[in-house]
Amino acid sequence: IILGFAALYHLTLLLTPHPLSNDLYRYLWDGKVLANGINPSPYPPAAPELALLRDTTWELIFNRDVPTGYPPLVELLFAGVYALGAGPLGYRVLAAVCSLGTCAALLAVLRALGADPRRAVIYAWSPLVALEFANSAHLDAIAILPLVLAFLMQVRGRPRGAALFLALGGQVKFFPAVLAPFWGRRWGWQ
């Protein structure tokens, strides 16, 4: 029931015609640049070297004079979604799927801790979660999923699995890596 309603909320906002944030146009741009064989890290979207790639989406990018600051794994995901030709909706679907995966992972964490899994409803049914991920495609959804999976691995006594998911999350956004020093002491710095 929790996952079903979460999926319904995400789907409802996924079908809205316009995202409330223009971040996903930067994801689309970075994906396009990388899919064309160019590393997007050294070049801001306004760089003359990228002028041939500009299209109507380019005009929707905020901070066109700032080079990308996204880690490598998420840049590969951007390029993959771009290569599928799904446009902005593809990024919204990716974020929504990751958010729903987080809901499922939270249920598993709560069960593994012996806690009431219904507590996952706080995340799963949050309007802000569905809005930010299914509507606006914020890439935090892609980083939160491996972070929660790292917690699940940690709770189940699988430090290598936890370290792997923590590292994956850190390659999407840097905030999951904050846990490494704390968990590293517990793992014996393996």
Side-chain angles (χ1 to χ4, degrees):
I1 292 172
I2 290 173
L3 285 176
F5 276 105
L8 180 65
Y9 301 149
H10 280 71
L11 180 62
T12 300
L13 287 167
L14 194 61
L15 297 176
T16 55
H18 303 289
L20 295 178
S21 170
N22 62 359
D23 288 353
L24 68 95
Y25 299 112
R26 181 58 179 257
Y27 311 157
L28 185 63
W29 175 259
D30 280 6
K32 180 178 187 175
V33 171
L34 188 57
N36 279 280
I38 303 167
N39 178 358
S41 295
Y43 303 106
E49 295 87 349
L50 303 178
L52 291 174
L53 297 176
R54 293 180 188 159
D55 56 14
T56 55
T57 304
W58 180 85
E59 296 174 10
L60 300 171
I61 300 169
F62 187 64
N63 289 328
R64 289 189 292 260
D65 295 328
V66 179
T68 192
Y70 298 120
L73 179 59
V74 79
E75 289 289 349
L76 289 172
L77 289 171
F78 293 164
V81 173
Y82 176 82
L84 291 174
L89 180 62
Y91 297 94
R92 293 169 69 188
V93 168
L94 175 63
V97 166
C98 288
S99 180
L100 292 172
T102 298
C103 295
L106 281 172
L107 287 165
V109 166
L110 290 167
R111 283 189 187 110
L113 290 172
D116 186 351
R118 293 177 295 183
R119 291 181 180 181
V121 77
I122 295 167
Y123 176 90
W125 292 3
S126 169
L128 185 60
V129 168
L131 179 70
E132 291 299 318
F133 300 148
N135 175 272
S136 297
H138 281 157
L139 66 95
D140 290 355
I142 306 168
I144 292 170
L145 176 58
L147 178 62
V148 175
L149 290 171
F151 274 113
L152 180 60
M153 293 292 107
Q154 181 69 14
V155 168
R156 290 184 174 169
R158 298 181 182 158
R160 289 187 178 154
L164 173 67
F165 282 116
L166 206 58
L168 288 173
Q171 288 300 307
V172 175
K173 285 205 87 165
F174 298 117
F175 69 82
V178 171
L179 289 176
F182 300 104
W183 285 358
R185 286 181 39 194
R186 183 175 281 180
W187 298 330
W189 299 103
Q190 296 177 9

